[in-house]
Amino acid sequence: MLFTQIAIYSPLCCDLEKYNIKAQYETEPPHGDAIYSISIKGKALPFWIYGRDVTFIGNSMVMVESVRCKTWDPIETVIIDLENEVYASLKEWYTDISFFNNRIELSNQVVKMDKRILNNFENLEWISF
């Protein structure tokens, strides 16, 4: 199985076939989960993702735990907009994701940090892939 945990927060979710998502196993750290390179619509993403805690948001977004290619550290949470072919790094690693009143609350129980609240995606730095 590609993903060890999938959380779906949309009644419609994503039409994964539409986006032609391909995953290729790359490596895994000594005591961790598998890491994959990903291509979407034939375009390789410039980072790898862990095959865990993949969260679908709405109809065309997915939140993943990413690492630089050929590494497994540092981990950053990234939001990928499949429809618009862009992604945005949240610059931190968030293990705990909650959805409340049209906003996303992010925190990390592994590395203690302040909670981050996303009310929208407008202020994120979106990068094309």
Side-chain angles (χ1 to χ4, degrees):
M1 181 174 188
L2 171 61
F3 298 115
T4 55
Q5 178 182 353
I6 297 178
I8 300 175
Y9 294 99
S10 168
L12 300 175
C13 187
C14 300
D15 180 359
L16 297 180
E17 290 181 17
K18 172 181 176 182
Y19 301 112
N20 191 23
I21 299 171
K22 305 266 191 236
Q24 172 67 45
Y25 172 85
E26 296 293 345
T27 188
E28 59 191 83
H31 299 288
D33 296 307
I35 298 174
Y36 300 86
S37 58
I38 301 292
S39 67
I40 299 170
K41 297 181 184 177
K43 299 175 185 176
L45 295 179
F47 51 83
W48 289 351
I49 70 166
Y50 273 91
R52 64 177 185 224
D53 298 332
V54 175
T55 304
F56 291 91
I57 305 168
N59 295 327
S60 67
M61 290 189 170
V62 62
M63 189 179 306
V64 298
E65 295 179 355
S66 75
V67 293
R68 291 187 307 256
C69 294
K70 302 184 189 308
T71 69
W72 54 69
D73 190 44
I75 304 170
E76 290 185 354
T77 298
V78 171
I79 298 174
I80 305 168
D81 182 334
L82 301 168
E83 189 67 33
N84 295 304
E85 300 181 22
V86 295
Y87 66 92
S89 173
L90 300 183
K91 311 286 189 217
E92 297 286 347
W93 173 36
Y94 298 101
T95 59
D96 304 294
I97 302 163
S98 301
F99 293 79
F100 294 108
N101 300 323
N102 295 320
R103 67 182 192 186
I104 302 173
E105 294 184 7
L106 304 146
S107 60
N108 187 323
Q109 293 182 9
V110 177
V111 178
K112 298 298 180 196
M113 64 175 61
D114 291 335
K115 184 182 295 186
R116 180 171 181 179
I117 296 174
L118 286 176
N119 292 310
N120 58 56
F121 301 116
E122 295 171 7
N123 293 327
L124 297 177
E125 182 181 329
W126 294 100
I127 300 169
S128 297
F129 60 82

